[in-house]
Amino acid sequence: MNPLKYNGIRTFARNTRIIKIYSTLKRIQEWVILQKYNPVKDNISNVKLNDINIKMYTESINEYKRVISYKNDSKILNTLLMEIKADDVFWDVGANIGLYSCLAAASRNNFKAFAFEPEDKAYNRLKENIELNGLTNTFTYKMALADKSGKLRLKIAEHFADGNHSLLNSNPDELSIYEEVEIIKGDDLIINDKIDVPNIIKIDVEGFEYNVLQGLIETLKNKRCRIVLTEVHFSQLNAQGLNDIPQKIYNLLTELGFYIKWIDHSHFIAKKIKK
């Protein structure tokens, strides 16, 4: 399955009742799950994936929704966790409240995780979840990775745990809330701040993935960087008139020696081909 071939069909479905019916069914399924939320009992929720156990703060239904998403994301998470080796370095780009970072860091000894999250409230919760799990091998950075360094406006989601804050501001609106955040090229972090070269990079930045990858060209060329797992946000990109970005992402990684395998309709894992 290669979703790039079906992007036109997806756009058609999005503009018709087909996608509306699908979205309604998903909302009903989500509503049933969220009925289990107890705002008193679920101040902290347990997450168990295979033999990995972590705890996450769930002080609101939005956080609970984000945390229990690991059940729907189990295929993606297992794909990631199977690639982690001892002594690996993991970059979680768009970490939000830290679900992926905490699971990855708890899965191995002698492992380093670097979590990047620019939104203020999500970043604070990220740090709290790391502390809650006693993860001394996980380091946080309140910034976004991009193709340049400086400042950029981040469009803030309704709740910090929703995970859909966006740097795609080509069509800003007056009703939305924005936060100025620090952006930096990933390559510059390694050179100037001497952060470890990642063996594995996970990227989920609501349509800003190509910008992140462009700022990591030298890192991606490094033989130690062997895995990139990312979500391609087709709907956000299409809404911004950036329909060509998914193909550009594919081309960039394949030109740098990665083989891409799609996990589902919007996530893929790219593995560096051994020479």
Side-chain angles (χ1 to χ4, degrees), residues 80 96 127 178 185:
L80 168 66
N96 192 242
K127 292 196 298 180
Y178 294 87
K185 287 178 64 175

Side-chain angles (χ1 to χ4, degrees), residues 75-142:
K75 184 177 180 180
I76 302 161
L77 281 162
N78 282 321
T79 299
L80 168 66
L81 295 171
M82 283 192 300
E83 297 294 340
I84 295 176
K85 301 176 182 178
D87 300 318
D88 265 352
V89 175
F90 171 60
W91 281 23
D92 187 356
V93 184
N96 192 242
I97 62 174
L99 180 62
Y100 276 64
S101 287
C102 289
L103 283 168
S107 70
R108 295 287 187 277
N109 294 322
N110 302 320
F111 174 86
K112 283 185 180 179
F114 295 87
F116 302 90
E117 174 54 50
E119 201 278 325
D120 189 60
K121 292 180 181 178
Y123 176 75
N124 289 333
R125 182 64 88 208
L126 165 66
K127 292 196 298 180
E128 289 171 343
N129 282 326
I130 290 169
E131 183 177 352
L132 177 65
N133 289 282
L135 298 171
T136 58
N137 59 345
T138 307
F139 310 92
T140 61
Y141 292 83
K142 190 178 183 298

Side-chain angles (χ1 to χ4, degrees), residues 105-247:
S107 70
R108 295 287 187 277
N109 294 322
N110 302 320
F111 174 86
K112 283 185 180 179
F114 295 87
F116 302 90
E117 174 54 50
E119 201 278 325
D120 189 60
K121 292 180 181 178
Y123 176 75
N124 289 333
R125 182 64 88 208
L126 165 66
K127 292 196 298 180
E128 289 171 343
N129 282 326
I130 290 169
E131 183 177 352
L132 177 65
N133 289 282
L135 298 171
T136 58
N137 59 345
T138 307
F139 310 92
T140 61
Y141 292 83
K142 190 178 183 298
M143 59 179 63
L145 299 194
D147 53 348
K148 59 184 179 182
S149 297
K151 300 283 186 180
L152 202 60
R153 290 204 311 165
L154 179 73
K155 186 176 181 179
I156 305 301
E158 185 175 347
H159 190 277
F160 68 85
D162 292 346
N164 52 356
H165 315 294
S166 177
L167 287 165
L168 286 180
N169 293 327
S170 59
N171 296 314
D173 60 87
E174 296 179 356
L175 297 177
S176 297
I177 299 173
Y178 294 87
E179 179 181 313
E180 188 176 67
V181 298
E182 181 182 1
I183 60 170
I184 192 166
K185 287 178 64 175
D187 286 338
D188 290 346
L189 275 174
I190 294 171
I191 296 170
N192 299 327
D193 294 63
K194 296 181 172 53
I195 293 180
D196 298 310
V197 172
N199 304 106
I200 302 174
I201 306 172
K202 167 257 177 183
I203 309 172
D204 182 359
V205 288
E206 301 301 309
F208 208 64
E209 289 77 18
Y210 185 60
N211 303 72
V212 172
L213 291 169
Q214 284 185 309
L216 285 167
I217 297 296
E218 296 306 315
T219 301
L220 295 167
K221 290 179 181 178
N222 192 302
K223 64 180 180 181
R224 283 179 283 177
C225 184
R226 68 176 192 274
I227 300 288
V228 176
L229 187 148
T230 188
E231 180 171 4
V232 179
H233 293 269
F234 287 95
S235 59
Q236 287 93 326
L237 291 166
N238 290 343
Q240 299 283 346
L242 301 172
N243 306 54
D244 59 334
I245 292 298
Q247 188 65 54

